[in-house]
Amino acid sequence: MEEITYKGEHGIFMTHEERNDLFSLIKKQSNLAKQAMQKSEETIRECKNELAK
């Protein structure tokens, strides 16, 4: 069993590896959200261009 090396601010205990996995997932989620926002902005621009024609 791995040693608990990190205690989150809300009292959640996890290993160093679990903490790294969690931050990796958060980073991936953040990147996906950014990509979705960029795609939405691109779609809005395309729609505006079509309406302007």
Side-chain angles (χ1 to χ4, degrees), residues 3 19 36-37 39 41 46 53:
E3 182 181 336
R19 180 178 179 268
M37 286 292 295
K39 184 66 175 169
E41 291 168 357
E46 290 172 0
K53 290 183 180 178

Side-chain angles (χ1 to χ4, degrees), residues 15-52:
T15 64
H16 188 68
E17 183 178 341
E18 289 170 332
R19 180 178 179 268
N20 288 344
D21 289 347
L22 178 61
F23 281 107
S24 177
L25 287 172
I26 291 169
K27 186 175 181 178
K28 286 179 187 176
Q29 185 68 30
S30 176
N31 288 338
L32 287 172
K34 287 177 189 174
Q35 289 173 9
M37 286 292 295
Q38 290 170 349
K39 184 66 175 169
S40 295
E41 291 168 357
E42 181 181 316
T43 302
I44 290 169
R45 279 193 300 276
E46 290 172 0
C47 290
K48 285 181 178 179
N49 288 339
E50 285 295 317
L51 289 172

